[in-house]
Amino acid sequence: MAIIISDLKIEPFPLQRGYWGRGECRVTSDEGDIVEVVIIDPLGNRLWAERRGEDIFVLEGNVPYDVPTGSYTLYLVARDSKGNEERKPITIEIT
């Protein structure tokens, strides 16, 4: 597989409505440079992760205060410069 997503961390876990949250992961490719890491929420919104180091990508911000509590599946999508894509489902909890 060309793209590997690993070392996923979400803090705090569970996330809390109206409060800060942070997700971090390592993304590598054996075929090209990683050019984009996007999180797609259940409504189809796209949130771009920032590169913070050679292979580390971070998304942080406040969880919307009006989101209903519960479990949600997000998709982490990584693309490299050769056009390869890896899509990984992530389950989060919001209280």
Side-chain angles (χ1 to χ4, degrees), residues 10-73:
I10 298 173
E11 58 182 12
F13 195 86
L15 296 167
Q16 297 178 352
R17 296 187 308 170
Y19 289 92
W20 174 89
R22 182 178 195 274
E24 177 182 311
C25 66
R26 179 177 303 280
V27 182
T28 58
S29 173
D30 57 6
E31 292 187 19
D33 294 328
I34 299 299
V35 295
E36 181 177 60
V37 175
V38 177
I39 291 34
I40 303 173
D41 74 14
L43 298 176
N45 297 311
R46 293 172 178 263
L47 305 165
W48 279 263
E50 290 182 26
R51 183 182 299 268
R52 302 257 181 99
E54 189 170 328
D55 298 326
I56 303 298
F57 290 83
V58 175
L59 175 65
E60 57 189 353
N62 286 333
V63 177
Y65 69 90
D66 57 350
V67 68
T69 60
S71 295
Y72 295 91
T73 299

